[in-house]
Amino acid sequence: MIATKLLRAADYPAMPWKNGAGTTREIVRDAGDGLEGFGWRVSIADVGAPGPFSAFTGYQRVISVLEGEGMRLKVDGADSRDLRALDAFAFDGASAVDCTLLGGAIRDFNLIYSPARYRARLQWLKLDGSVHFFSSASTVLLFSAGEGIHVSLNGAASGVLGLHDTLIAEGDGSLREWRLTVVGSADISVIELDAC
């Protein structure tokens, strides 16, 4: 049995950063309340000024710039590459992280998960017309960085994603076929999660 749910960007609740320096729009998480107790969480954050990131000890983080010119992170004293749009970058949530903006405010997309509890894979796909893939992950999230992405799961229509909408599918780990189609081109993030 596969359960799917379409989450609209307009409905994502806003919550303060753990360090109080900004705001995050939480898309979805597996469990917990506030900033505690979750095994994984997906969110969008608006970063308007350079500064430190919140620490999430016991978690792994994967971050991608969605909008804006980009950023550079200093992670435990070491500089990252320049992070531009849809260039995923992973780091330990316990690290001391400081952000430098490359040209003004940005919006980013975040996956935070507990590697002790979950195995996770995040990738960005470029859709030029259509793409299909298979996954046996128990949880699959599709996050749209474009408009009008038609999603089908095992041959059945599962919804149309607008900008920053997310489709989440949870099942028994059986192999599933996904087909994504769009008029023109668009980008989408595919996140696969399995409990350890």
Side-chain angles (χ1 to χ4, degrees):
M1 181 72 181
I2 301 167
T4 63
K5 186 174 182 180
L6 185 53
L7 307 173
R8 296 296 184 191
D11 299 329
Y12 300 156
M15 57 195 310
W17 289 358
K18 196 172 181 183
N19 67 9
T23 302
T24 290
R25 297 223 170 253
E26 184 174 87
I27 298 171
V28 65
R29 64 165 70 202
D30 68 327
D33 293 312
L35 293 171
E36 305 298 332
F38 62 85
W40 58 262
R41 185 182 83 155
V42 179
S43 62
I44 298 170
D46 290 310
V47 183
F53 277 20
S54 303
F56 283 87
T57 301
Y59 290 88
Q60 182 76 14
R61 298 184 67 173
V62 185
I63 194 167
S64 305
V65 173
L66 288 178
E67 299 172 6
E69 291 189 36
M71 65 180 167
R72 185 181 310 112
L73 301 181
K74 187 177 288 291
V75 181
D76 292 331
D79 284 329
S80 72
R81 63 187 179 270
D82 288 356
L83 303 175
R84 306 292 183 173
L86 311 185
D87 177 15
F89 181 74
F91 57 95
D92 189 317
S95 295
V97 180
D98 200 69
C99 170
T100 300
L101 300 177
L102 301 179
I106 65 162
R107 176 170 285 170
D108 62 36
F109 175 65
N110 301 272
L111 166 65
I112 303 177
Y113 70 96
S114 166
R117 296 162 62 187
Y118 286 93
R119 293 183 306 276
R121 179 178 184 224
L122 181 151
Q123 61 183 319
W124 285 97
L125 300 180
K126 169 68 82 177
L127 277 65
D128 287 310
S130 71
V131 67
H132 80 280
F133 64 93
F134 294 87
S135 177
S136 60
S138 57
T139 301
V140 174
L141 293 101
L142 305 177
F143 172 81
S144 173
E147 293 279 3
I149 298 174
H150 293 254
V151 179
S152 69
L153 174 57
N154 291 336
S158 296
V160 180
L161 300 178
L163 184 64
H164 298 167
D165 290 345
T166 302
L167 186 131
I168 180 169
E170 296 182 289
D172 57 5
S174 60
L175 190 64
R176 290 164 273 168
E177 181 182 12
W178 294 89
R179 184 169 297 276
L180 313 174
T181 59
V182 67
V183 175
S185 64
D187 296 286
I188 194 161
S189 178
V190 179
I191 298 173
E192 298 165 277
L193 294 150
D194 282 298
C196 293

